[in-house]
Amino acid sequence: SFYLGGLNGFAAAVTAHLGQMVHGEGDWVDISLQECAASMLELYLPGTSYGAPVQLRTGNQVRPVWGIYPCVDGWAGAFCLERQIRGLFTALDDPDLEEQRFLDPLARLQEPTNSELLGKMYGFFAERTKADILALGPALKVPFGVVTTPADLLDAPGLEERNFWEDVELPDGQVARVPGRPFPGFGWRSDVRLATPGEHTDAVVKDWLA
């Protein structure tokens, strides 16, 4: 959502700047990260804004190449555009997938083909760990992903390298590791202490009633 918000914010800011150059008056840019992310959920087509046909929602139809599945040590998934289907099928290593009904994007959604592919996806993920699946992604250019747990995140090398975590003091003197700054380079307090439950209730209620 941060990337999408930045992209849309940049486009809106440039538009407002050009408008100021032409009309002599600027504008207020207000971007919702939630709306930016929500716009990507189904068939995001920027061309729609420029006269392309409006794409309807697909509802609750299951798309096997775009879903989350149980794996050996948790949950993982694939999120494939059409250009990535061949790589996905290479990973599945199933000769049935060479049949035209699996290769054709419209035929693939029809029954029983859709359900058969769903079964193959369940079988593929059930035999592999999250690490196995992530390793296949770059090799085959397939957008595999995993559902990370808090423990996974605490051990993630990328977050450690980015200094994402902050150590803050608990009321009892212990130290807890918590998510830190979303963007590097910003000023940040290093003397943060977590409040005890109810510590600020009176002040908050007082301001609210004022």
Side-chain angles (χ1 to χ4, degrees):
S1 59
F2 286 132
Y3 285 114
L4 294 172
L7 179 63
N8 285 277
F10 172 77
V14 170
T15 302
H17 176 63
L18 292 176
Q20 191 276 335
M21 294 173 63
V22 173
H23 305 293
E25 184 176 348
D27 205 345
W28 176 266
V29 175
D30 185 6
I31 299 293
S32 164
L33 296 181
Q34 186 274 335
E35 290 182 5
C36 292
S39 71
M40 294 290 290
L41 290 179
E42 289 202 36
L43 294 178
Y44 176 71
L45 293 176
T48 300
S49 303
Y50 304 99
V54 174
Q55 299 294 317
L56 300 178
R57 292 174 62 88
T58 57
N60 291 329
Q61 180 180 12
V62 174
R63 286 174 286 177
V65 300
W66 193 277
I68 301 290
Y69 301 90
C71 62
V72 170
D73 55 351
W75 296 82
F79 315 92
C80 293
L81 299 177
E82 195 58 35
R83 65 176 180 267
Q84 296 149 342
I85 295 298
R86 276 291 190 177
L88 174 65
F89 287 0
T90 298
L92 267 61
D93 192 26
D94 187 324
D96 292 345
L97 297 176
E98 291 299 320
E99 297 177 17
Q100 187 59 32
R101 63 193 179 102
F102 289 107
L103 299 175
D104 183 279
L106 295 179
R108 191 186 310 130
L109 293 174
Q110 306 303 313
E111 294 296 345
T113 304
N114 188 69
S115 294
E116 290 177 26
L117 181 54
L118 185 64
K120 295 177 186 297
M121 294 290 283
Y122 269 106
F124 169 79
F125 283 98
E127 296 175 350
R128 290 165 175 81
T129 65
K130 290 190 286 189
D132 294 336
I133 293 163
L134 286 179
L136 286 171
L140 298 174
K141 294 182 170 56
V142 178
F144 288 123
V146 300
V147 178
T148 53
T149 65
D152 293 333
L153 294 175
L154 286 170
D155 291 334
L159 296 180
E160 189 69 34
E161 184 175 342
R162 289 166 47 203
N163 297 316
F164 176 77
W165 302 108
E166 292 282 342
D167 292 329
V168 299
E169 184 182 348
L170 298 173
D172 61 5
Q174 297 186 66
V175 175
R177 174 157 285 196
V178 299
R181 67 202 76 188
F183 309 105
F186 280 61
W188 201 257
R189 291 176 55 193
S190 60
D191 59 344
V192 176
R193 179 186 66 81
L194 294 183
T196 58
E199 181 177 338
H200 300 121
T201 299
D202 290 343
V204 171
V205 172
K206 180 180 178 181
D207 290 341
W208 180 65
L209 294 175

